[in-house]
Amino acid sequence: MTATMAIRPSMVRSYHVTTGGGIDGLSLRTHKPRTPGEGEVAVAVHATSLSFRELLVLRGQYVLPVKPDVIPVSDGAGEVVAVGPDVRRVRPGDRVTAALFPRWLDGPLEPAYLPQLGGSLDGMLTELAILPEDALVHIPDHLSYAEAATLPCAAVTAWNALTGDGRGIQRGQTMLVTGSGGVSLFAVQFAKLLGARVIATTSRADKEQRLRDLGADEVINYRDIPNWHTATRELTAGRGVDRVVDTAGTLEQSLKSVAVDGHIAFVGSVSGNWPPVDPRLLFGVAATVRALAVGSRAQFISMNNVITAHRLRPVLDQVFPFEEAVAAYGYYESASPFGKVIIKIR
């Protein structure tokens, strides 16, 4: 495919970030769209979704480089409207999203794969994104653009946490998921599809039943039970869980919850706190602690095959129009949403 379609409209709007300025660092601007070059694709973005990563970018706390004046947000979905020379994988009219790390196609993460959308590369909070062909992933047919926009960061991270260590979660095993953020909700859904027993934690009584409705077999409220690892042990007859998806930075309690030779997928710390951990806890259970960086395009495609086969639907909380993106960020930061916060562009 070598022809390039005309891009319409002639002007597009994009948000840009002044890093370190927080939500006040977001600004909306109008500019001429760039024509896709060789191996590039123009995508009319229909929807984006927010993750904790986006707040770190705004605060100047993101662990990877962020270029000045970047268009933020890694997660978005839309329609291909134009292709550059020699594009083979997609064509105009295709519904697509994009891998957060466009160069990480398969295999282990390497330094050359670290450029990422909404950080060192322009992201998806724009009416028209110019993306590398290799980054694109087709959307499952049963999902809306808003639902598909939730997948690149949170869903792929959860999929990697459950399947990316070479063993993967097995039917009949028990998994502990901390919190009810985007990664955690996808982890609950995926674990149930893969036949696991799921224990979830939350601090909110109003979220307990919602987690059960999503698939959690047991829910521990850590406001009521601060030493929730003790409750986890009780629920597993003292053995501990086979796997933990730790999104809260509670590594000490995760180690106290996991079984011998278990696996902890360490996603990060939404609280920003990184308490010290006694290494003897790690040796005491001979567990594997694996830090995650989302996942590859191959993992994304594998995940989408499962989503398609089971007709899984992501959990959405609120949808904001493009013009209210600042309000969407504010809501995401302060409201403790249950499900993804969407910014709808068209």
Side-chain angles (χ1 to χ4, degrees):
M1 186 182 301
T2 58
T4 300
M5 296 177 60
I7 299 176
R8 296 291 185 270
S10 59
M11 301 293 287
V12 299
R13 297 176 298 168
S14 304
Y15 281 90
H16 295 258
V17 168
T18 301
T19 303
I23 295 175
D24 291 338
L26 280 170
S27 60
L28 180 61
R29 303 181 203 160
T30 302
H31 57 93
K32 291 184 178 180
R34 180 170 69 84
T35 299
E38 184 173 352
E40 292 184 326
V41 176
V43 176
V45 183
H46 284 243
T48 64
S49 77
L50 298 180
S51 62
F52 187 67
R53 170 193 183 273
E54 307 308 335
L55 295 180
L56 296 179
V57 169
L58 289 184
R59 296 168 184 170
Q61 298 172 345
Y62 190 45
V63 66
L64 293 175
V66 176
K67 74 171 186 173
D69 204 40
V70 69
I71 297 173
V73 181
S74 61
D75 293 19
E79 178 186 355
V80 174
V81 293
V83 299
D86 297 325
V87 169
R88 298 280 185 264
R89 295 185 62 249
V90 297
R91 58 186 178 183
D94 284 0
R95 300 190 327 135
V96 297
T97 183
L100 188 149
F101 294 100
R103 299 178 187 174
W104 187 10
L105 305 184
D106 200 358
L109 181 61
E110 298 181 8
Y113 304 157
L114 288 178
Q116 51 354 117
L117 297 180
S120 56
L121 305 172
D122 281 331
M124 303 292 280
L125 196 52
T126 177
E127 292 176 320
L128 188 78
I130 307 297
L131 300 166
E133 173 192 20
D134 286 341
L136 299 182
V137 176
H138 287 91
I139 294 170
D141 289 341
H142 70 287
L143 296 185
S144 67
Y145 284 114
E147 291 170 325
T150 70
L151 301 178
C153 184
V156 175
T157 299
W159 184 254
N160 187 358
L162 270 60
T163 68
D165 63 312
R167 292 191 294 182
I169 194 164
Q170 303 297 312
R171 182 170 295 276
Q173 288 186 328
T174 301
M175 184 185 74
L176 171 69
V177 180
T178 65
S180 55
V183 173
S184 298
L185 297 187
F186 276 115
V188 170
Q189 291 178 287
F190 291 148
K192 292 307 295 182
L193 291 182
L194 297 174
R197 177 193 181 201
V198 179
I199 302 171
T201 71
T202 183
S203 63
R204 298 263 300 267
D206 61 320
K207 292 184 178 181
E208 293 179 29
Q209 186 58 49
R210 299 180 75 179
L211 284 164
R212 290 189 178 93
D213 292 342
L214 201 61
D217 298 282
E218 308 284 351
V219 179
I220 302 169
N221 190 317
Y222 61 81
R223 295 292 185 198
D224 299 333
I225 308 174
N227 294 326
W228 46 264
H229 61 276
T230 302
T232 301
R233 289 281 176 183
E234 292 173 353
L235 289 170
T236 56
R239 178 181 177 274
V241 297
D242 298 286
R243 303 177 77 91
V244 181
V245 179
D246 187 337
T247 65
T250 52
L251 188 54
E252 178 177 339
Q253 287 186 281
S254 292
L255 285 166
K256 290 179 179 179
S257 301
V258 75
V260 171
D261 195 33
H263 179 275
I264 299 173
F266 194 53
V267 176
S269 173
V270 294
S271 69
N273 297 322
W274 300 93
V277 175
D278 186 343
R280 289 174 295 185
L281 290 172
L282 182 60
F283 284 100
V285 289
T288 298
V289 178
R290 184 168 62 101
L292 302 186
V294 191
S296 67
R297 190 188 76 185
Q299 289 174 304
F300 198 160
I301 293 171
S302 175
M303 177 194 75
N304 274 358
N305 289 338
V306 172
I307 289 174
T308 298
H310 293 273
R311 308 289 288 183
L312 182 146
R313 289 194 177 277
V315 181
L316 307 186
D317 185 285
Q318 292 287 338
V319 178
F320 290 80
F322 185 61
E323 294 77 12
E324 296 179 17
V326 173
Y329 270 88
Y331 176 80
Y332 177 80
E333 185 176 43
S334 63
S336 185
F338 190 91
K340 300 297 285 183
V341 176
I342 304 299
I343 299 172
K344 186 175 181 181
I345 299 173
R346 51 172 54 83

